[in-house]
Amino acid sequence: MNLFPEMSVSASGLTAERTRLEVIARNLANANTTKTADGGVFRRQLVELVAQPQGLMAEEAAGVQVAGIVEDPSPLKQVYSPGHPDADENGYLTLPNVDVMLEMVDMLGAARAYEANVSLLQSAKEMARQALSI
């Protein structure tokens, strides 16, 4: 039995949003990477989140967990750059499918969700403190 289900929900949200922020940072860092360690072009990564299964009691809070990190299947960008060493025989350079503006919007959303979970955690902590003082 979980005595502080709100804190568990908030903690799972904090973990999920931290993972999202780390993946977004990795995407931004590799926005122009034409060769990875595997030899291919970097592909944007996405975080898949799923609801945690509920406990034995229906009123028990569930939370969220990271199901995995997957590659974005959207097409890669093609840019004509015949002088680039990674360009193909026609002079086209294949670039990652990372859109910096989209990543920044995702980062703002993840940061706001992280802040909301911190606020929930602080409120739950304060309610528990007040309950103990009664």
Side-chain angles (χ1 to χ4, degrees):
M1 180 176 158
N2 189 354
L3 295 176
F4 303 105
E6 298 84 10
M7 290 185 183
S8 295
V9 170
S10 180
S12 71
L14 287 169
T15 301
E17 296 307 329
R18 185 194 73 223
T19 303
R20 278 186 61 205
L21 287 168
E22 288 171 353
V23 169
I24 290 168
R26 190 176 321 128
N27 288 342
L28 288 170
N30 288 294
N32 293 316
T33 302
T34 57
K35 288 259 195 244
T36 62
D38 298 333
V41 176
F42 179 81
R43 283 195 163 275
R44 178 178 185 235
Q45 296 177 338
L46 303 169
V47 177
E48 288 185 337
L49 302 176
V50 295
Q52 286 181 346
Q54 287 188 326
L56 298 174
M57 302 172 68
E59 67 273 1
E60 190 173 326
V64 66
Q65 65 186 21
V66 176
I69 298 173
V70 297
E71 288 185 348
D72 183 356
S74 64
L76 299 171
K77 299 175 192 173
Q78 295 285 324
V79 176
Y80 186 69
S81 181
H84 196 283
D86 293 332
D88 63 11
E89 62 277 353
N90 297 324
Y92 284 94
L93 177 64
T94 304
L95 294 173
N97 56 349
V98 175
D99 181 356
V100 174
M101 295 302 282
L102 180 61
E103 295 299 323
M104 294 303 290
V105 170
D106 284 350
M107 185 186 330
L108 283 173
R112 292 269 159 55
Y114 190 90
E115 290 169 2
N117 279 297
V118 167
S119 185
L120 173 66
L121 187 62
Q122 289 172 340
S123 295
K125 184 176 75 172
E126 181 62 23
M127 286 189 305
R129 188 187 65 74
Q130 288 180 2
L132 288 172
S133 68
I134 292 179

